[in-house]
Amino acid sequence: MPIYAYKCGSCGHAKDVLQKISDAPLLDCPACGRANFHKQLTAAGFQLKGSGWYATDFRGGATATAASGGAESATATETAPTTAEATASTGGCGTSCACH
């Protein structure tokens, strides 16, 4: 259930209320009793969990990859061709052309 922020336009009383999405909005201020209690527009707070999200996979750059990949990551890095080797093997046009 979401938490909605309400504020009274008359007295300025503010309150956070836990409500279902289908519940009718509150109208009467609990502090002054006037029917000037309105929902405020607030930023939604949420956290993405699981693999594949920024907070778990990409933060820290190479550190996260080395920690999760271990020795396999180091081996893959060592066997990758350098830019000069890749250019020489592709005829000087690089790997981004349509012929490779």
Side-chain angles (χ1 to χ4, degrees), residues 12 14-15 21 29-30 38 44 53 55 63 83 87-88:
K15 183 176 182 178
I21 295 174
C29 175
H38 301 286
W53 300 106
T63 307
T83 306
T87 304

Side-chain angles (χ1 to χ4, degrees), residues 6-15 29 31-32 34 36-37 40:
Y6 282 88
K7 187 172 183 180
C8 180
S10 299
C11 69
H13 176 73
K15 183 176 182 178
C29 175
C32 68
R34 295 190 181 134
N36 202 6
F37 209 46
Q40 293 182 300

Side-chain angles (χ1 to χ4, degrees), residues 6-68:
Y6 282 88
K7 187 172 183 180
C8 180
S10 299
C11 69
H13 176 73
K15 183 176 182 178
D16 292 338
V17 181
L18 182 68
Q19 287 184 298
K20 292 180 182 178
I21 295 174
S22 59
D23 287 348
L26 301 177
L27 301 174
D28 297 329
C29 175
C32 68
R34 295 190 181 134
N36 202 6
F37 209 46
H38 301 286
K39 282 185 185 179
Q40 293 182 300
L41 182 62
T42 58
F46 67 96
Q47 183 177 5
L48 303 173
K49 293 187 177 184
S51 65
W53 300 106
Y54 173 80
T56 58
D57 289 343
F58 299 107
R59 185 178 292 167
T63 307
T65 305
S68 65

Side-chain angles (χ1 to χ4, degrees), residues 66-95:
S68 65
E72 295 172 7
S73 296
T75 306
T77 305
E78 292 171 4
T79 60
T82 63
T83 306
E85 292 171 345
T87 304
S89 68
T90 59
C93 59
T95 58

